[in-house]
């Protein structure tokens, strides 16, 4: 599932297991609003989301001729260990970031 509209649609019906968002999105209020909506839906339905690889690389990996900003994963069976490691690293980095913010204050 690629693209913000499609990902949002399947998040609403609780069909996704993971959402991948490119970190190199265009800076605009509309894009920020859509990303916040996606993040909010993920949080509501307890679906993990990660900001990982650039748009062009996601498009390349999915054999698309255009950059892809967002991908929804229906099922990651068969690569559970990789996803578990990814999510563990995301949690660790969130904690590190929070600790750095506390130290600056």
């Amino acid at each position: 599932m690629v693209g913000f509209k499609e990902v949002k649609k399947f998040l609403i019906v609780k069909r996704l297991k993971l959402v991948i968002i490119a970190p190199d999105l265009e800076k605009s209020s509309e894009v920020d609003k859509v990303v916040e909506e996606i993040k909010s839906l993920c949080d509501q339905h307890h679906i993990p989301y990660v900001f990982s690889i650039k748009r062009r690389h996601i498009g390349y990996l999915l054999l698309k001729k255009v950059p892809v900003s967002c991908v929804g994963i229906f099922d990651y069976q068969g690569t559970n260990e990789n996803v578990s490691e990814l999510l563990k690293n995301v949690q660790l980095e969130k904690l590190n970031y929070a600790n750095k913010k506390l130290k600056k204050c």
Side-chain angles (χ1 to χ4, degrees):
M1 189 55 40
V2 298
F4 285 121
K5 289 180 184 177
E6 292 293 313
V7 167
K8 183 179 171 186
K9 179 173 64 174
F10 283 96
L11 276 172
I12 291 171
V13 295
K14 303 176 189 176
R15 295 277 316 267
L16 299 179
K17 302 282 186 189
L18 175 68
V19 175
I20 300 171
I21 304 169
D24 63 334
L25 302 172
E26 295 103 22
K27 302 291 181 201
S28 77
S29 60
E30 290 178 26
V31 172
D32 291 343
K33 182 181 172 187
V34 171
V35 170
E36 287 303 317
E37 261 185 272
I38 297 290
K39 288 169 45 178
S40 176
L41 284 169
C42 286
D43 289 339
Q44 287 174 13
H45 301 302
H46 306 290
I47 297 169
Y49 62 89
V50 295
F51 290 87
S52 63
I53 55 181
K54 295 184 177 188
R55 295 170 59 225
R56 285 195 180 276
H57 194 66
I58 294 173
Y60 173 78
L61 292 172
L62 296 175
L63 304 175
K64 303 285 185 184
K65 293 183 180 183
V66 295
V68 175
S69 299
C70 188
V71 177
I73 308 294
F74 286 114
D75 188 16
Y76 47 78
Q77 187 175 356
T79 186
N80 291 342
E81 291 177 22
N82 293 331
V83 172
S84 295
E85 185 72 23
L86 171 71
L87 297 177
K88 186 173 85 174
N89 288 335
V90 167
Q91 286 299 101
L92 181 63
E93 290 304 318
K94 283 183 180 180
L95 289 173
N96 288 340
Y97 180 74
N99 288 335
K100 284 183 181 181
K101 283 180 71 174
L102 287 175
K103 288 180 182 178
K104 286 185 179 181
C105 295

